Amino acid sequence: MVPGAFPTGRKVIASAVAAFASSVLAAFAPGAAPVTAAAQTAAPNDVAIAVADALLWGRPMPGADVTTALPSDEQEILAAYRRREAIFKSSLTPPPRATRAEELVFAQRVGIERVVFCLFDRRDSARIAGMYALDADVGFVQPGFADVMLNNLMQKWFAPYLHLVSGDLKLCVGRETEGRRQLVVARDGGHPLIRIVAEQMIAKKRCFDETEP
């Protein structure tokens, strides 16, 4: 990790690790099934939920058969995202002699790294993705961590994603006005996939829950 990139990233505390590990066990367990058309309807709202599941929880993007309800230009963005997924290689090192909880936290960090790498096709995206994945408050339990990163951010292209994460977290803890404000910024930040997810949460007036729909 490059010191100072995200100066005040939080350490995951034991209670957060335990809660997070139980919530993602099924998603990151070996052999976990990907989202398929049989498991996910193709209505636009359901597609937005499937995309949110990938962007906010670090899971693989659903296949083209799941996202057919989206317009052709958004389909092209999703296709580009999947192509980057296919070439993604994590820069993170697994913790030695890790417990099961630590393995799951590491899997989530790799998922976050993959999301950032796939969202932003830039020369420096792999480096920033790895740094963010290490600094992120895994489990998304602290609404303020993304704001701290935003306040110190040099890579402005990364801001819409941080606004999306922060807005989602604030809706989850009842800070609706602040959350909606950040989701609007995320929506208007220029990335079509971030816009899809932000619009869904703005319309619902509540955060994305990994147990949806």
Side-chain angles (χ1 to χ4, degrees), residues 16-75:
V17 170
F20 168 70
S22 62
S23 71
V24 301
L25 179 60
F28 288 101
V35 177
T36 64
Q40 182 79 43
T41 58
N45 284 352
D46 292 333
V47 173
I49 290 170
V51 173
D53 195 50
L55 299 193
L56 293 174
W57 289 95
R59 296 184 178 127
M61 186 62 68
D65 56 343
V66 178
T67 59
T68 55
L70 293 178
S72 59
D73 58 336
E74 293 173 355
Q75 295 282 3

Side-chain angles (χ1 to χ4, degrees), residues 80-211:
Y81 186 103
R82 295 187 192 102
R83 286 193 294 271
R84 287 183 68 77
E85 275 189 322
I87 64 171
F88 168 74
K89 292 183 179 179
S90 178
S91 65
L92 307 184
T93 302
R97 298 179 296 279
T99 64
R100 180 59 174 156
E102 289 170 337
E103 288 175 351
L104 290 170
V105 168
F106 177 74
Q108 177 69 348
R109 291 197 187 280
V110 172
I112 292 168
E113 181 189 19
R114 181 177 61 242
V115 169
V116 177
F117 174 80
C118 296
L119 272 175
F120 303 103
D121 187 359
R122 300 176 53 91
R123 181 176 298 179
D124 56 346
S125 63
R127 179 176 62 88
I128 298 302
M131 290 190 296
Y132 173 66
L134 287 173
D135 270 2
D137 185 6
V138 170
F140 299 143
V141 294
Q142 295 292 337
F145 89 91
D147 290 337
V148 171
M149 292 183 177
L150 279 164
N151 290 337
N152 295 280
L153 189 66
M154 297 180 63
Q155 297 81 15
K156 299 306 181 185
W157 53 265
F158 189 42
Y161 180 71
L162 290 178
H163 281 294
L164 180 71
V165 171
S166 184
D168 175 59
L169 290 170
K170 286 173 181 171
L171 288 186
C172 283
V173 299
R175 293 161 61 180
E176 183 177 322
T177 300
E178 294 175 78
R180 188 182 186 282
R181 185 183 303 120
Q182 283 198 279
L183 290 172
V184 168
V185 175
R187 180 197 65 190
D188 297 341
H191 197 292
L193 300 186
I194 293 175
R195 186 189 71 243
I196 290 170
V197 178
E199 285 178 345
Q200 174 79 355
M201 286 191 284
I202 291 169
K204 294 191 333 179
K205 299 182 179 179
R206 65 185 181 90
C207 67
F208 173 75
D209 186 332
E210 70 162 339
T211 62

